[in-house]
Amino acid sequence: MNFSVLSSSKQSNMPVSPVKTRIPLTSFGHLITEVKKQLFGIEAPASTELTGLRKYFNSYTLQGRRNYVLATYGVFALTAVAYWMHRQHKKENHASSSTA
Amino acid sequence: MILGLFDQFFTPYFAGIPLLAIAIIAPWLLFPTPSNRVVNDRSLAAQNSFILNFAKQILLPLNVGAHKWALLLTALMINLITLNLLGLLPYTFTPTTQLPLNMGFAIPLWLATVLIGLRNQPTIALGHLLPEGTPAPLVPVLIIIETISLFVRPFALGVRLTANLAAGHLLIQLLSSATLFLLDQMFPVAILTSLVMALLTILELAVAAIQAYVFVLLLSLYLQENT
């Protein structure tokens, strides 16, 4: 069998996709990140460069991203609790002023 | 019997007994049961070939831990594709045009993938909520956006299937009504509408299979993220 057709196809000028691996389709953020990574490369700083608070809160390492997410959820939860307590306090003040 | 536009979406009743359960379970009666023979008949061989190839394709990107879902995903695919295709027959009821049914498939399965991710690999599951390389000022915004997109997933799954099938059935109903009306009034136009309806039926056959596949594929992708 003549395989010259197969070998000559490597020398053809067919455009090659710059995308190397399967792109995740489950989230727009993941899609943008993967395309950006493969086309331009995300220059993650070395672990020694991440010092202080950036060592625990950064968007490059898995742990950093997890901590960012937990911190954001924590801030929202605290804000919701503070707002609810403020409303309770206001309700109690209003009830006590109306009965007085 | 003159039918209204939305009569095809009502639950079928017979002597006051709702037939919804029969409509959902009946497709399974159409499939041949496996036998102990070494060489099976054509229908069983075709069924086995479809199931094996589909399971292989859907499990290819998944880790070994997620292969426990093989039976569930394959059964879901066969169920959805059969319900969708049978619904294209005239005067049949299509259970997958009902949003509660599709949400009943989507919400528990999506929730299962999320809980599996949080239980087995919580760091990775939470890390998915923030894309890599996000600039610091955008972090809270993106986390909120990714959280919203996470919770919208089951609704998107259910509504996509419902809307595609319901819209297709409505179009078929409208075009067939138009063709019947135009047969007496303007016969050449009726030929045109019947041609469009033939093309639409072919499209709906494709949509029925594709939407079932998309439902199961997206579930497998959510599972891939969390295992």
Side-chain angles (χ1 to χ4, degrees):
Chain A
M1 197 178 221
N2 187 9
F3 288 100
S4 60
V5 172
L6 292 172
S7 60
S8 66
S9 67
K10 287 183 193 173
Q11 297 162 5
S12 66
N13 294 324
M14 288 293 289
V16 175
S17 167
V19 176
K20 293 170 193 61
T21 56
R22 193 188 294 241
I23 294 179
L25 292 173
T26 49
S27 146
F28 200 57
H30 286 68
L31 177 68
I32 300 289
T33 305
E34 196 59 39
V35 169
K36 192 176 144 193
K37 204 193 266 186
Q38 292 190 27
L39 288 179
F40 308 109
I42 292 177
E43 290 174 10
S47 54
T48 48
E49 290 177 37
L50 295 168
T51 54
L53 217 54
R54 299 243 334 139
K55 187 177 168 188
Y56 301 103
F57 294 97
N58 62 77
S59 61
Y60 300 105
T61 61
L62 200 56
Q63 289 74 19
R65 280 151 54 198
R66 178 202 62 195
N67 293 340
Y68 252 142
V69 169
L70 289 174
T72 308
Y73 284 165
V75 163
F76 278 121
L78 281 173
T79 312
V81 165
Y83 178 69
W84 180 77
M85 286 181 71
H86 173 73
R87 282 195 67 170
Q88 288 291 100
H89 184 67
K90 213 170 157 183
K91 243 187 232 177
E92 279 164 17
N93 279 349
H94 183 73
S96 62
S97 66
S98 61
T99 52
Chain B
M1 183 175 140
I2 297 172
L3 293 173
L5 199 56
F6 297 101
D7 282 349
Q8 58 183 317
F9 300 122
F10 293 161
T11 308
Y13 278 82
F14 179 73
I17 304 165
L19 300 176
L20 186 60
I22 298 173
I24 293 171
I25 294 166
W28 288 103
L29 299 170
L30 300 171
F31 293 109
T33 50
S35 73
N36 293 330
R37 291 171 178 268
V38 173
V39 178
N40 293 312
D41 61 353
R42 286 190 186 89
S43 60
L44 201 52
Q47 180 183 268
N48 288 344
S49 165
F50 174 78
I51 289 173
L52 282 169
N53 280 315
F54 175 78
K56 199 167 66 174
Q57 286 299 317
I58 210 82
L59 294 175
L60 212 57
L62 296 176
N63 292 331
V64 174
H67 287 187
K68 294 173 206 166
W69 284 61
L71 182 61
L72 179 66
L73 292 175
T74 316
L76 183 64
M77 171 68 178
I78 293 171
N79 196 19
L80 287 177
I81 201 170
T82 317
L83 288 173
N84 291 350
L85 288 173
L86 282 177
L88 288 171
L89 295 169
Y91 294 108
T92 53
F93 171 69
T94 317
T96 41
T97 53
Q98 308 297 309
L99 188 62
L101 178 79
N102 295 332
M103 294 305 290
F105 282 134
I107 291 181
L109 294 173
W110 161 82
L111 191 60
T113 61
V114 170
L115 292 176
I116 283 171
L118 285 173
R119 183 178 176 270
N120 295 339
Q121 42 184 37
T123 301
I124 296 175
L126 287 172
H128 275 310
L129 290 171
L130 180 63
E132 207 176 318
T134 308
L138 283 177
V139 162
V141 177
L142 266 173
I143 289 174
I144 294 168
I145 290 172
E146 290 287 332
T147 308
I148 292 170
S149 88
L150 178 73
F151 282 98
V152 158
R153 278 178 188 177
F155 298 102
L157 272 179
V159 171
R160 183 186 301 112
L161 187 58
T162 307
N164 271 287
L165 261 70
H169 281 65
L170 268 175
L171 268 174
I172 287 174
Q173 170 103 5
L174 283 169
L175 270 171
S176 60
S177 306
T179 308
L180 270 173
F181 176 74
L182 288 169
L183 269 174
D184 291 331
Q185 311 290 328
M186 289 184 273
F187 186 71
V189 182
I191 294 175
L192 189 66
T193 51
S194 60
L195 186 66
V196 172
M197 196 171 136
L199 293 172
L200 182 69
T201 307
I202 296 168
L203 173 71
E204 283 306 310
L205 282 167
V207 164
I210 288 167
Q211 287 304 319
Y213 176 66
V214 161
F215 191 100
V216 176
L217 179 71
L218 282 172
L219 264 176
S220 74
L221 288 178
Y222 301 154
L223 185 64
Q224 183 190 351
E225 246 188 25
N226 289 299
T227 49

